[in-house]
Amino acid sequence: MTKARKCFIITPIGEIGSRTFRDAKGVIESSIRPVLTKYGFKDIKPAYEIKESGMIGNQIIERILFDDLVVANLTGVNPNVMYELAVRHVISKPIIHICDRNTILPFDIKDCRTIFYDNDMLGARELESEFEKYVREIDFSIEYNDNPICNKTDKIKNIFTEKVELGNSDILIRMQANDLQLKNILKRIQLNLSDVVVSGYKKVGDIFLVYIMNRRCQDFVDLSIELQDVCKSYGVNVFFIDDLKNSQK
């Protein structure tokens, strides 16, 4: 059974009913949503369609980081769009750039492969056809490092050092995972669990050892449950979580 995928759409919005809003929504409804629906996406949302309670800024960043695909409409070089675009570039996950043909893109992103479209009825059909070609070629199992932030920048690609400071670590996770699963797990731990820091990791045989500092001495059982949820969310079901501090007493 094909996985039901999620897509977040980064787009200029403007006031409801404004020309900016109508243009952006028209592109989504006429060209983007039909293609994504055809390819099995079940949750396709721009920010203005998020209805869950909570902080909209946090919800947007969450979706930019964890959705399977992001579509970025660069029309008008909107500052919020540029900020959200950079966040997606950092994590090296699939993203498709689209842009009104009349927009002049800034130097930093002008060389990124972008689908330019004409904002009229024929343009919507042409955009739909070209957009489908991009969606069809996405490989969700690989990293997309060819962007202004990650391209040939080892310091960005390897956010987490492999130098393990065991003496400062409180928790050890031993897991069977592939490299992509590990990277996603480490990023999510750092972003979502404010009380812990990944102090290092290393690969030993077929398993990864991940060392964690429990900065605020959160209860080990509660923290273990949170760490288990993170691991399982990326398909890692074989892991052990050890309390290093108490085992050394």
Side-chain angles (χ1 to χ4, degrees):
M1 182 175 178
T2 303
K3 174 186 175 183
R5 299 193 180 277
K6 300 175 65 174
C7 175
F8 183 71
I9 302 174
I10 299 173
T11 181
I13 297 175
E15 297 295 328
I16 302 297
S18 68
R19 184 75 264 163
T20 298
F21 179 82
R22 289 182 61 84
D23 287 347
K25 185 174 176 64
V27 165
I28 293 169
E29 300 304 327
S30 300
S31 306
I32 305 304
R33 199 184 300 274
V35 172
L36 294 178
T37 301
K38 176 180 177 179
Y39 282 84
F41 285 78
K42 301 298 184 183
D43 187 349
I44 308 161
K45 282 188 174 68
Y48 61 81
E49 290 186 4
I50 297 177
K51 304 302 182 184
E52 296 90 347
S53 62
M55 296 182 64
I56 183 64
N58 290 346
Q59 293 167 342
I60 289 172
I61 295 299
E62 176 83 9
R63 294 208 57 150
I64 291 171
L65 291 173
F66 300 116
D67 275 20
D68 301 285
L69 173 65
V70 162
V71 177
N73 188 339
L74 310 180
T75 300
V77 196
N78 179 279
N80 288 340
V81 169
M82 295 298 110
Y83 176 85
E84 294 166 11
L85 176 70
V87 173
R88 183 67 174 189
H89 279 170
V90 166
I91 64 169
S92 310
K93 295 179 72 174
I95 182 169
I96 298 176
H97 300 176
I98 66 173
C99 188
D100 184 295
R101 197 176 304 279
N102 294 319
T103 296
I104 299 176
L105 294 178
F107 173 81
D108 290 333
I109 60 172
K110 70 179 182 64
D111 291 331
C112 292
R113 193 174 295 277
T114 301
I115 305 173
F116 288 95
Y117 63 89
D118 293 301
N119 188 25
D120 55 29
M121 294 180 69
L122 178 58
R125 292 294 301 274
E126 293 170 339
L127 172 59
E128 180 181 5
S129 175
E130 191 67 16
F131 181 69
E132 182 172 357
K133 296 176 185 177
Y134 278 65
V135 173
R136 190 167 54 234
E137 294 300 319
I138 295 173
D139 183 347
F140 292 99
S141 68
I142 67 174
E143 292 189 349
Y144 284 79
N145 291 316
D146 193 13
N147 65 60
I149 293 179
C150 289
N151 192 24
K152 298 179 182 178
T153 308
D154 292 337
K155 289 183 179 179
I156 297 296
K157 290 180 183 178
N158 301 309
I159 294 175
F160 299 98
T161 177
E162 293 193 15
K163 180 182 178 183
V164 177
E165 298 179 2
L166 179 57
N168 294 326
S169 301
D170 304 295
I171 293 171
L172 169 64
I173 306 177
R174 293 174 288 156
M175 69 176 77
Q176 289 184 348
N178 60 45
D179 291 340
L180 182 58
Q181 287 173 317
L182 175 73
K183 180 170 286 189
N184 285 332
I185 287 169
L186 296 182
K187 288 178 180 177
R188 189 156 186 177
I189 289 173
Q190 294 284 190
L191 289 167
N192 289 26
L193 303 182
S194 59
D195 292 337
V196 304
V197 173
V198 177
S199 56
Y201 73 90
K202 64 180 178 180
K203 189 170 186 179
V204 179
D206 294 330
I207 68 170
F208 282 103
L209 305 180
V210 180
Y211 294 87
I212 293 175
M213 296 172 60
N214 185 1
R215 295 189 302 180
R216 299 182 186 176
C217 298
Q218 183 177 346
D219 180 78
F220 175 73
V221 174
D222 292 341
L223 185 53
S224 295
I225 293 172
E226 293 185 68
L227 293 170
Q228 289 173 23
D229 290 341
V230 172
C231 292
K232 290 179 179 179
S233 69
Y234 289 103
V236 177
N237 295 311
V238 180
F239 56 85
F240 300 92
I241 301 177
D242 301 320
D243 186 348
L244 295 178
K245 291 299 182 184
N246 287 332
S247 66
Q248 294 172 3
K249 292 180 179 178

